[in-house]
């Protein structure tokens, strides 16, 4: 719903999300940085996915186990929903 990370950060409704999906490449900061910032402001763990069209994940520093689940674009709806359900299930076990 936001056109930039700065717009998202400035929103009073930022922490009202049930699930966050961020593109890796955003104006101002990358999606990982945005999700890290949202998490730092949230009193509870957030559920989130980072989407990327960059096939060379080692080039963008994603070869180590990331905090956020990474999905490569294009990801079909079934893959996206399945991944979201996996993340939600993992959070419910915590």
């Amino acid at each position: 719903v936001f056109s930039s990370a700065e717009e998202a950060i400035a929103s009073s409704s930022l922490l009202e999300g049930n699930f966050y999906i961020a593109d890796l490449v955003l104006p101002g900061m990358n999606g990982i940085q945005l999700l890290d910032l949202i998490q730092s402001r949230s009193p509870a763990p957030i559920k989130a996915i980072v989407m990327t069209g960059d096939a060379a994940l080692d080039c963008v520093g994603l070869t180590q186990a990331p905090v956020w689940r990474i999905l490569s674009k294009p990801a079909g709806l079934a893959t996206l929903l399945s991944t979201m359900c996996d993340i939600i299930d993992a959070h419910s076990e915590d």
Side-chain angles (χ1 to χ4, degrees):
V1 275
F2 302 107
S3 61
S4 70
E6 288 80 13
E7 185 181 324
I9 292 166
S11 173
S12 62
S13 64
L14 179 65
L15 297 179
E16 295 174 9
N18 293 317
F19 205 101
Y20 297 87
I21 300 173
D23 197 300
L24 181 63
V25 179
L26 297 171
M29 68 176 64
N30 69 45
I32 293 170
Q33 292 167 323
L34 175 61
L35 293 176
D36 287 346
L37 180 65
I38 294 169
Q39 183 59 75
S40 73
R41 293 182 179 183
S42 176
I46 65 168
K47 296 172 273 309
I49 293 173
V50 176
M51 302 288 294
T52 181
D54 191 340
L57 296 180
D58 57 333
C59 293
V60 292
L62 297 177
T63 54
Q64 298 175 350
V67 172
W68 311 109
R69 187 80 60 96
I70 309 294
L71 277 184
S72 295
K73 294 187 234 175
L77 181 59
T79 300
L80 178 60
L81 293 176
S82 173
T83 304
M84 290 174 73
C85 286
D86 290 347
I87 292 168
I88 290 167
D89 289 346
H91 277 258
S92 67
E93 294 172 2
D94 292 341

